[in-house]
Amino acid sequence: MNVLVVGANGQVGKLLVDLLRDSQEHTVKAMVRKEEQAEVFKKMEIEAAVACLEQSVEDIAQAARGCNAVIFTAGSGRNTGYDKTLLIDLDGAVKTIEAAEKAGIKRFIMVSAIQAHRRENWHEKMLPYYAAKYYADKMLEQSELTYTIIRPGGLSSEPGTGLITAASDIRSGKISREDVAKTIIHSLTEENTYYQSFDLVSGEVPIEKALKLL
C-alpha cells in the first residue's frame, strides 16, 4: 500500500513514517502543515505533501492523491485551546474521511483514545478532547471506508516490547508510542481489524497474534 500519514510530524506520526519507509510491503507519503516540515522529510527521501486540516477537503484530497490508505494520527496538542480541539481532532478528522472518499481511497485507520467510545469513562479534564474523538470515530464508522479505529491508552516514549492487549473494552492502561505505531502498521493489511474498533494497551501477546484474536 501507498500510505498517507496525516500528522506525520507528531511523535507517533514520525515513527509510522520510519516504519513505512523501511517496510517491504508499503510506501509512505507524509502529510504535514508547513513547508519546512515537508522539506525535512524530503531530505530523507520521503515523499511529503503540505496540507492543513483547517483548509478544504479538496486540499487534503489533493495531498492524498496516489495513495490507497490513510492513517490519521494528527492532533491539536496539549498547548492549544478547545477551539483547535474542535477544528483539528473533530472537523479535521472528518475532513480527512471525506477527502479519502473523494480521492477514491478505501482503507482508513483512525488513531483515537482509550475509552473514547464510552462517555461515562471520559477523563474529567479532557471532556472536549474525548467528545471530538467520539464523534470523529462515529463519522468514520458511518462512512463507506474500510476502517479500523485504534484507541491507545496513555502514551509513553519507552522502547516498544511488541507485546500488547487489544480488546473492544479496556478501562485503562499505558502503551509505548512505538508499539502503537507497530500495531497500526500490522493493522493495515490484517483483515481481522477491518471494520473494528478497539482499545490498545501494553500486554503479553505479540502484536500480530493479538490482532488475529480480536
Side-chain angles (χ1 to χ4, degrees):
M1 290 185 178
N2 188 20
V3 185
L4 180 73
V5 176
V6 179
N9 202 53
Q11 293 185 73
V12 173
K14 288 178 179 177
L15 290 168
L16 283 168
V17 170
D18 287 344
L19 288 169
L20 289 163
R21 177 193 56 194
D22 297 337
S23 168
Q24 299 300 311
E25 297 179 79
H26 310 294
T27 55
V28 62
K29 182 190 285 189
M31 188 182 120
V32 293
R33 62 188 180 88
K34 296 180 180 179
E35 188 61 48
E36 53 264 38
Q37 294 169 339
E39 288 302 319
V40 172
F41 285 111
K42 290 175 183 177
K43 287 178 181 177
M44 296 188 289
E45 298 185 345
I46 294 168
E47 186 178 6
V50 178
C52 177
L53 292 172
E54 294 183 62
Q55 294 173 342
S56 70
V57 171
E58 180 54 46
D59 288 333
I60 302 168
Q62 186 61 41
R65 303 288 182 204
C67 296
N68 47 23
V70 174
I71 300 170
F72 186 92
T73 184
S76 56
R78 293 178 176 273
N79 299 320
T80 58
Y82 290 146
D83 57 334
K84 293 297 184 184
T85 301
L86 178 65
L87 293 172
I88 302 299
D89 298 272
L90 175 53
D91 194 44
V94 175
K95 283 180 182 175
T96 307
I97 293 165
E98 294 172 357
E101 293 175 326
K102 190 177 186 70
I105 297 169
K106 287 294 185 183
R107 189 73 179 107
F108 196 108
I109 295 182
M110 178 77 81
V111 181
S112 185
I114 192 168
Q115 290 290 297
H117 62 312
R118 294 192 178 277
R119 290 188 182 97
E120 63 272 21
N121 295 331
W122 291 355
H123 195 289
E124 188 68 30
K125 294 182 179 179
M126 300 173 65
L127 293 178
Y129 171 77
Y130 272 98
K133 290 295 186 184
Y134 176 88
Y135 286 104
D137 293 352
K138 286 291 185 185
M139 292 298 292
L140 180 55
E141 289 171 342
Q142 293 170 18
S143 75
E144 297 183 358
L145 302 177
T146 304
Y147 69 84
T148 301
I149 298 169
I150 300 175
R151 301 187 298 263
L155 298 174
S156 77
S157 296
E158 295 175 4
T161 64
L163 303 174
I164 63 168
T165 297
S168 60
D169 192 44
I170 302 172
R171 290 296 299 268
S172 63
K174 295 183 178 181
I175 187 166
S176 73
R177 290 179 176 86
E178 183 180 346
D179 281 336
V180 173
K182 289 180 176 178
T183 300
I184 293 168
I185 300 298
H186 278 288
S187 296
L188 273 170
T189 54
E190 173 51 69
E191 293 185 10
N192 198 47
T193 70
Y194 292 5
Y195 306 106
Q196 288 262 35
S197 304
F198 58 90
D199 292 326
L200 176 69
V201 297
S202 293
E204 299 179 354
V205 181
I207 292 170
E208 190 171 357
K209 181 178 179 180
L211 296 180
K212 291 184 181 297
L213 294 173
L214 283 168

